Amino acid sequence: MAPGAMRTALTSLSDAQPVPYWLDDPGRPGALPALTGDEHCDLLVIGGGYSGLWTALLAKERDPGRDVVLIEGHEVGWAASGRNGGFCAASLTHGFSNGLARWPGELRRLEELGERNLDAIEATVARYGIDCAFERTGEIDVATESYQLDDLRALYEEATGLGFTGLELLDRDAVRAEVDSPTFLGGLWDRRGVAMLHPAKLVWGLKQACLDLGVRLYENTRGLELARVRRRAGPAGAGPAGTGATGARRTGARRTGAGIAVRTPYGRVFARRVALGTNVFPSLVRRVRPYTVPVYDYALMTEPLTDGQLSAIGWKNRQGLGDSANQFHYFRITPDHRILWGGYDAVYPYGGRLSAELDHRPETYLKLATHFFDCFPQLAGLRFSHAWGGAIDTCSRFSAFFGTAYDGQVAYAAGYTGLGVGATRFGGEVMLDLLAGERTERTELEMVRSKPLPFPPEPAAWAGIGLTKWSLARADARGGRRNAWLRTMDRLGLGFDS
């Protein structure tokens, strides 16, 4: 790296605050009280990110009389749901290519369900007045190498040949007319399949919508253990003093029968059904744990661009962007004219360790800053205001998987691999279908009925993931050519991604 480029990158990071930009907001709501004592409900949702919030909201929309409790181990949205790039995609399969490779016979149905899911998110945002800067601007996959341009062209031809519409292939001049970077050689624009939004404000809006519908929500309340119980419960919804999170007294008939007890630091929740939306965190159903590994992803946010800087890059249509390398960047512009720039490094900690210490990685921030000014040299002198990271739940097929435990009384969804902003709503629908024992268009999908291959135990996981990352970087440097290890992984349907 040239000394001048290094100085530019280093200077750009000098004022960056080590906190997620989205959560650094004076409008961030305060935490609700933790659960103390015992609580009772029809449905317990564990996890206060998108997965849990969508499940709780949908449960009340389906049946307003259903008694729903949600517990969150920290504050709602503090983890991946408040740290991501704000790309809300229709795809349920981590992109068209992944879906075609894994479920070719039902891809058309999966694409239709994904479009309906994104439409439903847009309608929910409007119905509950959630101010999350929702903009359905689409996303452009850009090519920065000639082989990537060939791959995008082949994908476009394959998708249009199968009757899929809404894609536009852009040549060099067309893509640079949208967003101007000297590194862009072309692009594929999905005009309607992705929306941009403020991820934390979506979380906070879903939280308020749940509370308004009567969900009792407890924060700083971690679910520690699941157990089946034969119980004679107290008044439905009653806490230790007959009050819920809002302080409203609950009354109801005593219930009997088999249920699930979930232990928390200061109490217990007795529920007829449980939905697990814990994603990257170790599942309370232990047999599910080998299916996911945590991957740490990192992002930078710039200070607001001046009018002159905006003019230099264009970006008037405000699409999300991602480059087409194996080690890829994702980037977007915010309503206040900042640029989020993230991705590239996908860091797997040995043993799947989760730690706040891993939320920051200065060497990755420096790498990202250098890449940013390679992409946008006309923005030299711009500084970054925030730098942060967080863990993503990755599975070997890159898209969510589903299942039940405890004779159908517990449902789970996990493995979204970075595309959970939109797909978690679909996952909530699936979990509710499974808990109801219903055969629906969702539960009949092969995608829902099948599981990914689990990751091996350590040290095999560490070695395999390390070799895969090295091979992907080598493929990027060799015109996309995949070595024997990657070809074997492809044949087995295995992968590693953020």
Side-chain angles (χ1 to χ4, degrees), residues 355-408:
S355 171
E357 294 177 2
L358 300 174
D359 287 346
H360 298 288
R361 197 165 189 263
E363 59 267 43
T364 293
Y365 298 152
L366 182 58
K367 188 182 300 182
L368 286 172
T370 303
H371 295 173
F372 177 86
F373 292 110
D374 288 343
C375 182
F376 295 117
Q378 64 271 49
L379 297 181
L382 188 66
R383 290 175 179 261
F384 295 101
S385 61
H386 296 76
W388 72 94
I392 295 169
D393 59 325
T394 291
C395 73
S396 62
R397 74 183 192 186
F398 307 150
S399 52
F401 62 91
F402 314 89
T404 61
Y406 293 85
D407 299 321

Side-chain angles (χ1 to χ4, degrees), residues 174-401:
V175 73
R176 291 189 63 174
E178 294 296 329
V179 183
D180 192 11
S181 167
T183 67
F184 294 172
L185 304 179
L188 185 61
W189 187 359
D190 180 353
R191 285 185 169 270
R192 291 281 299 166
V194 181
M196 297 291 104
L197 52 78
H198 188 302
K201 289 185 177 180
L202 175 60
V203 170
W204 301 333
L206 291 174
K207 172 184 177 179
Q208 187 60 52
C210 285
L211 293 172
D212 290 345
L213 292 183
V215 175
R216 299 195 305 289
L217 201 155
Y218 298 95
E219 294 180 272
N220 294 305
T221 303
R222 184 180 170 202
L224 300 175
E225 184 181 22
L226 279 170
R228 196 195 316 269
V229 293
R230 183 80 181 175
R231 63 190 172 87
R232 184 174 185 272
T243 60
T246 60
R249 182 166 295 276
R250 307 281 302 181
T251 61
R254 289 184 175 270
R255 299 172 181 166
T256 60
I260 301 294
V262 175
R263 184 168 60 86
T264 71
Y266 306 123
R268 296 170 299 174
V269 183
F270 296 93
R272 292 174 178 268
R273 299 287 186 270
V274 176
L276 298 177
T278 49
N279 296 309
V280 76
F281 299 98
S283 177
L284 293 181
V285 178
R286 294 187 67 88
R287 70 171 185 266
V288 177
R289 295 181 185 182
Y291 289 104
T292 63
V293 295
V295 175
Y296 277 82
D297 180 61
Y298 300 91
L300 305 174
M301 183 70 86
T302 73
E303 63 189 357
L305 275 64
T306 65
D307 290 344
Q309 289 167 332
L310 284 169
S311 178
I313 61 170
W315 219 335
K316 294 180 180 178
N317 288 315
R318 310 181 59 76
Q319 311 94 328
L321 277 83
D323 62 49
S324 302
N326 291 304
Q327 292 182 288
F328 62 92
H329 305 88
Y330 56 87
F331 39 119
R332 47 84 55 97
I333 193 164
T334 66
D336 62 346
H337 309 310
R338 300 171 183 264
I339 296 175
L340 178 141
W341 179 265
Y344 195 80
D345 277 346
V347 178
Y348 169 68
Y350 184 86
R353 182 170 66 98
L354 292 167
S355 171
E357 294 177 2
L358 300 174
D359 287 346
H360 298 288
R361 197 165 189 263
E363 59 267 43
T364 293
Y365 298 152
L366 182 58
K367 188 182 300 182
L368 286 172
T370 303
H371 295 173
F372 177 86
F373 292 110
D374 288 343
C375 182
F376 295 117
Q378 64 271 49
L379 297 181
L382 188 66
R383 290 175 179 261
F384 295 101
S385 61
H386 296 76
W388 72 94
I392 295 169
D393 59 325
T394 291
C395 73
S396 62
R397 74 183 192 186
F398 307 150
S399 52
F401 62 91

Side-chain angles (χ1 to χ4, degrees), residues 29 32 47-58 60-61 70 76-77 81-82 88 120-132 134 197-217 420-422 424-425:
L32 294 171
Y50 293 135
S51 190
L53 290 165
W54 279 120
T55 304
L57 183 66
L58 290 165
K60 293 295 286 187
E61 289 183 338
L70 185 150
V76 161
S81 296
C88 186
I121 291 172
E122 185 172 16
T124 299
V125 167
R127 181 165 63 254
Y128 292 103
I130 299 175
D131 180 17
C132 63
F134 188 98
L197 52 78
H198 188 302
K201 289 185 177 180
L202 175 60
V203 170
W204 301 333
L206 291 174
K207 172 184 177 179
Q208 187 60 52
C210 285
L211 293 172
D212 290 345
L213 292 183
V215 175
R216 299 195 305 289
L217 201 155
V421 179
T424 45
R425 183 191 177 279

